[in-house]
Amino acid sequence: MTESNTGDAPPLADIINGAMEFTIPPAGKMGVRAIEARRGYASASVPIEGNGNHFGVIYAGVQFTVAEVLGGMIAIATFDNSAYYPLVKGFEIAFVGMAKSDLRAEATLAEEEIARIEAEAAERGKSDFTLEAVVTDADGKKVAVTKGLYQLRAHGR
């Protein structure tokens, strides 16, 4: 599945955004939005409005969320959704700058890693993968870096 839009089908990011309010209600309430989702790539955003903390920056949990959803977005855009679903197993975040504006999170998954995940999931019914993401502010300054451990798991397992 890719982001390309053929015919009247909505872009994948629009589908993800439509589903997010039902599948991850807190992320929807924060205003987390998929920007782009395609094979091996995902980006998302979140506004500062309504997401600030007691000293004027975006709350840490919001920064976590905008980066963490990328694992699911990449899985949806990259793997067979009729056979597999993603889940998060662990997540690390380092706050490296002050988040004082809307944020964007971005992650990629290399083709070699995609092939490994697909093969392992087909053989074992599941496959772990690591996804590193970068969260930047409106000026492109890095405010957080993350490392998430996800699993692609066959339905019914």
Side-chain angles (χ1 to χ4, degrees):
M1 190 177 277
T2 63
E3 181 65 44
S4 63
N5 190 6
T6 57
D8 294 330
L12 185 53
D14 291 346
I15 294 168
I16 290 169
N17 287 328
M20 195 167 329
E21 69 180 89
F22 302 106
T23 58
I24 314 169
K29 289 177 183 173
M30 289 175 197
V32 173
R33 303 286 297 164
I35 298 170
E36 184 178 355
R38 58 180 156 78
R39 182 175 176 86
Y41 176 82
S43 60
S45 66
V46 69
I48 190 168
E49 185 176 337
N51 290 315
N53 65 13
H54 59 287
F55 60 95
V57 300
I58 292 185
Y59 172 62
V62 174
Q63 294 179 57
F64 171 100
T65 302
V66 73
E68 188 278 326
V69 299
L70 298 177
M73 289 173 56
I74 280 184
I76 289 166
T78 304
F79 304 108
D80 180 357
N81 294 280
S82 67
Y84 301 102
Y85 65 94
L87 57 90
V88 64
K89 293 179 68 178
F91 202 82
E92 300 172 17
I93 187 166
F95 302 102
V96 297
M98 299 296 276
K100 296 181 179 181
S101 67
D102 294 355
L103 299 181
R104 177 186 175 106
E106 190 171 31
T108 59
L109 197 57
E111 279 299 324
E112 300 80 27
E113 181 67 352
I114 292 169
R116 181 199 65 77
I117 296 163
E118 288 174 328
E120 185 174 77
E123 180 182 324
R124 297 182 53 230
K126 60 185 175 181
S127 180
D128 290 352
F129 65 97
T130 300
L131 189 64
E132 295 182 1
V134 175
V135 181
T136 55
D137 67 12
D139 294 325
K141 182 182 171 208
K142 191 183 302 183
V143 298
V145 292
T146 67
K147 184 176 182 179
L149 176 61
Y150 296 87
Q151 185 175 86
L152 187 68
R153 184 177 287 200
H155 290 287
R157 289 208 168 201

